[in-house]
Amino acid sequence: MLGAVQPPPKLLIERLSDGDVTCLRLMGTIDEQFDAPGLAQTIACRYLVLDLGGVDRISSFGIRQWIDFVQHIAPRLAGVYYVECSPKVVDQFNMVANFGGPGYIVSFYAPYRCESCDQEKRHLFRTDEETPVWRAGQAPATTCQTCGNKEDFDENPAMYFNYVAQQPIQAIPPAVMQFLRVHLNYGQGGQRKLRIEKRIEGRCTYIKLSGDLDSDLKPEKLADGLEGEVVVDLGGILSIDPVGTAHWRKLMRTLDGKTGTDESVERISFIAVPAVFLERLGKPEDLTRKGQVLSLIIPYNCSRCRATTPKLVDFTMHGDELRAGRVPRIKCALCGGPVTCVVSETWFNRLQTLPQPQVTPDLKSTIARLTAAPAPQTPRSTMAGPAMPTPSGPAPQSGTPSWSPQPMSGGPQQPQTPTWTPQPTPSPMAMSGPRSTMGGSLGQSSAAFSRPDLRAVSQATSATPSAPLPPPPQGIFGKLQNIPGLLPGLLVVMLSLSGAIVYRILATPAGRSGADWKVVESSTPKAPAWHDSKFSGDGTKFVGHSTLAADRNDALERADIAAQAELVGKLAEELETKDPDWRKVIQPLFAPTQQALKDELEKAQKSIKPTDDPATVETQLAPARDHQFELQKRAAASFKQSLGDASPPTQTQYWEKRARTSKGTREVGFAASTAIDLDKAAFDKLVNVFRQTEAAAKVKVVPFFPLLAMRFDASVRGPVVIEVDDSSPLAPSGIKAGDIVLSVLGREVRTPSDFAKQIDPAVKDLPSHDLVLKVQRGKELVDLKLASTKAMPKKGPMPVKKVGK
């Protein structure tokens, strides 16, 4: 159920995509529940960065799942880079062969301990720097920043630094290095650092903290000169260590003591408070009597694509709903699937102790101006990386703006009230919101990711370059918007008077007229001809349309996927016409899945009654439409992988924002269309990509066709056998047409050329070694064994071993 609250899963995965780079941040335990094939299916990028600083345990079964994940993704990527590997992860690199595959460790943590302070520390080291000490198997000397005494290395240095010492230094691609600098605070030559930005307006001081809350926080230095209203933006906090906890408490005690002096601190307001901060430092004594929380970042987890999406919630307006267990209902920012709120019992308990915020209109407007102001251009050391511009305006809100009543453990149960929806416009408390989602085409959409200043990145890397920003409001409404604090105040009054305002966003029912929907905004003044669903091209334009969606990026993604599915379908028709072998072997492998999907859609259509209202129609059609979209998305991702390094076809996008009023309720939605332009030569070139054959050991194979991805999961992406000669040395193994070859002697096979390169040497080694091929045969994963010629039986094929489904 959307908005449901569940305990945090063992492993949380946050995702961010920026250009050619996708980063996955893993936190928790990697065990047998880690879905390697499912996660690998969602990776569609050139470079993958894996942030493993939050991995605190890896089980034996988890190691196996992890290695499967790396083996699935590595062959189709230009590079895999591991950053901030925790000590538990470093141990696995040292002990488990091929744990990281061909990936490169960029940075890792080393464990230290201060005996004087009785505290454990972790220091981050970079492998792309000159590090002669640990490369020689010795631990670099470090000094405790709390007491000044020498710290002791908490492991055997020769063993701990074994893997990274043998790893040769290699150049990191500029795109990856830029990503690390922008999103992970990596400097030109140093590790990630806590970054502090300060802005002042009148008697209000705004402080933004980004990075790890650790010994870099200097309480005396930060508290010096603070007075009046203090606003602390915590949205960029990534982790909190024991030293950072102690320093934070000292800072708060210092500010709490500034009373009745020349530098008196009247109040401390916290905005964009992440769950990790509230759990660790959310006690009343940690916030002090002057502290109040104005907004929270609530994490959600998607069981479908395993992404974590944060949601910014204004605590000043919705504190009562949150305490009663009513959390916002949203959809996954990556796949649009259902998500569950994942917070701990400690988070619930902290929530109940938070005081009701006291916010004046002046403070609201001041926070709005401070968070929207550009960052001061002060010089920064290279250790902290280049100065980042602070984005202007509120953070976009992800998901459908609605609330779901849920029982909240750890808090008092209150009577249920009708489900309600806050105004879509965020209040000034939401100025440092969670990292906004970036929808895009063919796997380029990304879930929100808890990193500093991501709002600026999401604006700069919009997945819809052809879509201009909404024009500024005109008329009296536009003038009212320019009065600071007026509209938020009016919204509060309106809500209190009306009781409940609900915005419903419904897709246009199939087969029903959308004439009552009016276009209120569009990406271009005039809609292109191909936006019409009745458009019929000349065979060089492949068009996909979305249903009406709540989010513009969601509509654009659905249109992109639909257009690529249209193109792939036309490629299949052409291949069936030109290639009898392809029609005989490949087409039957995916045809049943296509037919089942068609039957599912027709059944849903037939279930609609003429008297059904739009909401009922949408509910009945949604499962079939979502299933169709998921299968088409898999086919589109496979199509992109098939292109390799070749440039994907050019896409043109168009979107419309539509609105209507029905029974006194305003409904808003987005519709999009995508066109792919290909001339005949380019289309024929794509056809030939999937017609190319490779022959090895008298066995012919062709590339994996994208429509097969609608039937098989992401772990099945090998070449397909279309012909086996009776005299083939592989014939005794039982290999046959229709088998999808996955590996030869344990080595993954992705393309026909991979098959040819691996089969010929393997056959030559048959006199001394057995040959085992792993193939997908229908629903079953099968091992085909060809014994060495010394032990080969005189007659009959070797038995086929079925190893799973």
Side-chain angles (χ1 to χ4, degrees), residues 271-295:
I271 62 177
V273 179
V276 63
F277 186 93
L278 189 65
E279 293 167 356
R280 182 72 65 86
L281 292 167
K283 296 179 181 179
E285 56 268 29
D286 294 330
L287 302 178
T288 75
R289 57 190 175 86
K290 295 182 179 180
Q292 61 176 358
V293 173
L294 303 189
S295 57

Side-chain angles (χ1 to χ4, degrees), residues 51-225:
D51 182 343
L52 305 179
V55 176
D56 50 31
R57 179 176 177 269
I58 306 178
S59 70
S60 298
F61 291 112
I63 292 173
R64 183 182 62 188
Q65 292 291 91
W66 177 262
I67 293 176
D68 286 346
F69 169 68
V70 174
Q71 289 178 343
H72 282 140
I73 62 172
R76 65 176 191 261
L77 299 177
V80 179
Y81 299 90
Y82 301 98
V83 299
E84 302 185 26
C85 299
S86 68
K88 293 293 185 182
V89 173
V90 174
D91 289 341
Q92 301 306 325
F93 273 100
N94 287 322
M95 295 186 296
V96 181
N98 204 35
F99 180 79
Y104 180 72
I105 296 180
V106 178
S107 60
F108 65 96
Y109 284 105
Y112 285 79
R113 182 176 182 82
C114 178
E115 295 295 341
S116 301
C117 299
D118 192 27
Q119 291 182 340
E120 295 180 352
K121 310 288 186 67
R122 295 198 316 178
H123 292 282
L124 189 66
F125 294 106
R126 293 274 294 275
T127 62
D128 57 336
E129 300 170 344
E130 290 299 329
T131 49
V133 178
W134 58 259
R135 284 190 180 277
Q138 301 176 15
T142 61
T143 302
C144 178
Q145 297 191 25
T146 302
C147 66
N149 292 326
K150 180 181 178 181
E151 295 175 335
D152 297 325
F153 188 64
D154 212 13
E155 290 278 355
N156 182 326
M159 295 180 61
Y160 190 82
F161 297 114
N162 178 57
Y163 184 90
V164 290
Q166 297 180 29
Q167 176 182 259
I169 296 179
Q170 64 174 253
I172 300 176
V176 177
M177 198 64 242
Q178 177 66 13
F179 184 96
L180 296 178
R181 291 169 184 160
V182 172
H183 299 294
L184 303 185
N185 281 3
Y186 276 71
Q188 297 285 348
Q191 64 187 48
R192 183 177 68 187
K193 289 287 185 179
L194 176 69
R195 187 172 64 196
I196 302 174
E197 299 177 12
K198 182 188 292 186
R199 303 180 206 129
I200 301 173
E201 180 180 316
R203 289 186 54 78
C204 183
T205 301
Y206 168 81
I207 299 172
K208 179 178 177 62
L209 303 179
S210 302
D212 291 336
L213 197 61
D214 53 18
S215 57
D216 287 338
L217 178 67
K218 308 301 182 184
E220 299 86 354
K221 184 177 181 180
L222 184 58
D224 185 31

Side-chain angles (χ1 to χ4, degrees), residues 238-483:
L238 305 177
S239 64
I240 306 172
D241 70 7
V243 178
T245 300
H247 285 194
W248 174 266
R249 288 170 175 162
K250 184 176 181 179
L251 170 66
M252 295 305 297
R253 289 195 301 268
T254 302
L255 297 181
D256 188 50
K258 285 191 171 187
T259 302
T261 64
D262 292 338
E263 291 186 356
S264 176
V265 174
E266 301 169 5
R267 185 166 43 192
I268 310 169
S269 300
F270 304 100
I271 62 177
V273 179
V276 63
F277 186 93
L278 189 65
E279 293 167 356
R280 182 72 65 86
L281 292 167
K283 296 179 181 179
E285 56 268 29
D286 294 330
L287 302 178
T288 75
R289 57 190 175 86
K290 295 182 179 180
Q292 61 176 358
V293 173
L294 303 189
S295 57
L296 297 162
I297 295 178
I298 303 178
Y300 293 78
N301 183 251
C302 176
S303 59
R304 180 187 298 173
C305 70
R306 289 149 292 279
T308 302
T309 300
K311 171 74 175 181
L312 184 72
V313 178
D314 190 339
F315 192 68
T316 63
M317 296 178 62
H318 311 309
D320 292 338
E321 285 81 7
L322 290 171
R323 291 190 185 95
R326 294 191 291 275
V327 296
R329 299 182 63 204
I330 67 174
K331 290 185 177 182
C332 176
L334 179 64
C335 69
V339 295
T340 53
C341 176
V342 286
V343 288
S344 67
E345 189 73 20
T346 301
W347 188 88
F348 285 132
N349 294 335
R350 298 284 185 268
L351 195 68
Q352 303 303 318
T353 63
L354 295 180
Q356 183 62 34
Q358 303 297 321
V359 185
T360 64
D362 287 342
L363 178 60
K364 283 186 178 182
S365 59
T366 300
I367 292 176
R369 290 192 297 272
L370 285 171
T371 53
Q377 299 301 316
T378 55
R380 299 189 185 278
S381 67
T382 57
M383 294 291 286
M388 286 293 297
T390 301
S392 61
Q397 301 297 303
S398 62
T400 304
S402 58
W403 291 72
S404 173
Q406 297 293 335
M408 179 178 287
S409 58
Q413 297 298 316
Q414 299 185 10
Q416 298 288 348
T417 58
T419 300
W420 64 285
T421 301
Q423 291 287 347
T425 304
S427 77
M429 301 300 102
M431 291 300 133
S432 180
R435 316 305 168 245
S436 61
T437 60
M438 295 182 289
S441 63
L442 194 55
Q444 291 302 317
S445 61
S446 68
F449 193 74
S450 298
R451 291 298 187 199
D453 295 317
L454 192 56
R455 287 171 296 154
V457 178
S458 66
Q459 293 170 1
T461 58
S462 171
T464 56
S466 64
L469 293 174
Q474 303 294 326
I476 185 64
F477 185 78
K479 295 179 181 179
L480 290 175
Q481 268 195 322
N482 293 327
I483 303 177

Side-chain angles (χ1 to χ4, degrees), residues 732 791-799:
M792 179 137 345
K794 294 182 179 180
K795 296 182 179 181
M798 291 297 295

